[in-house]
Amino acid sequence: KLLIAQERPTSGEIFFKEKPLNKISSTELSLLRRHIGVVFQDYRLLPSYTLAENIAYVLEVTGVSKEQIENDVREVLELVGLEKRANHFPHQLSGGELQRAALARAIVHRPTLLLVDEPTGNLDPYYTRDIIKLLLRVNEMGTTVILATHNKDIVNAIQKRVITLQDGKIIRDEEKGRFIL
């Protein structure tokens, strides 16, 4: 919530693209948020919209052309393996499909930063591996991914930089086995 300026820090500053989030106007903040994708724990999909409509909505509000929306939605559905579920509603999807749908919606606008909150908390091991592979692929495509998780198995499996927080403070910053304290 701090990184998308939904909440303000009690002290210090948070910068994104060299701009202090607590000092920019709401218009600037709105434009800045277009560079950030977010996957929430509760998916936040619109229940009366199909999967394709949920994903397209992100692009519609930013004024993307209908032709570009159709192309981008098709591409992202293929990336997450849900192209055959495009016309299904959220209540018709499994937990793993809902998580992939939320991920598709978060990346359809090609953000530079993707924030993912406990993406595997309610998933079985098969879907957990699937989601982690997708996040790694998104990262390889050039998007910075910040993954919040309590699952140490995931942290160990991805072998990426790990920052450990306790009571809102960084207590460890480890990069591929190298500790930075």
Side-chain angles (χ1 to χ4, degrees):
K1 290 181 179 180
L2 290 169
L3 291 172
I4 58 173
Q6 197 172 16
E7 290 185 11
R8 302 289 181 181
T10 53
S11 64
E13 291 183 302
I14 297 174
F15 290 82
F16 182 71
K17 291 191 170 275
E18 300 179 14
K19 294 183 184 261
L21 294 181
N22 57 332
K23 293 182 181 175
I24 62 175
S25 70
S26 58
T27 302
E28 284 180 296
L29 182 58
S30 178
L31 293 172
L32 208 58
R33 283 181 177 158
R34 292 181 183 187
H35 297 277
I36 302 172
V38 182
V39 179
F40 298 97
Q41 281 183 330
D42 61 0
Y43 314 122
R44 298 197 184 170
L45 296 170
L46 301 169
S48 62
Y49 283 38
T50 66
L51 174 54
E53 291 168 339
N54 263 285
I55 296 167
Y57 182 76
V58 173
L59 300 172
E60 289 168 357
V61 297
T62 59
V64 175
S65 73
K66 187 173 182 171
E67 184 178 299
Q68 187 65 48
I69 290 172
E70 288 175 11
N71 184 57
D72 290 353
V73 169
R74 185 177 53 255
E75 281 182 12
V76 78
L77 283 171
E78 288 174 10
L79 175 68
V80 301
L82 290 175
E83 61 275 9
K84 293 180 180 170
R85 307 289 275 167
N87 294 317
H88 288 75
F89 292 90
H91 73 273
Q92 297 173 308
L93 303 175
S94 70
E97 289 170 333
L98 286 167
Q99 191 63 274
R100 288 186 283 151
L103 177 59
R105 188 192 51 206
I107 63 172
V108 71
H109 66 290
R110 296 174 177 85
T112 55
L113 174 63
L114 177 64
L115 305 173
V116 188
D117 187 13
E118 293 286 356
T120 62
N122 299 319
L123 302 180
D124 64 32
Y126 173 79
Y127 282 121
T128 294
R129 280 191 304 276
D130 193 35
I131 293 298
I132 297 305
K133 284 181 187 176
L134 279 170
L135 292 172
L136 289 169
R137 189 162 177 208
V138 167
N139 179 244
E140 289 168 1
M141 295 166 65
T143 299
T144 298
V145 177
I146 296 180
L147 166 68
T149 185
H150 292 90
N151 188 327
K152 291 181 182 180
D153 292 333
I154 290 173
V155 172
N156 293 334
I158 61 174
Q159 297 186 8
K160 298 282 185 178
R161 182 178 182 186
V162 176
I163 299 172
T164 305
L165 300 174
Q166 184 176 338
D167 299 324
K169 296 192 184 323
I170 296 173
I171 61 168
R172 186 177 70 176
D173 188 342
E174 179 184 352
E175 190 164 348
K176 296 184 184 178
R178 187 179 67 124
F179 287 91
I180 305 166
L181 294 174

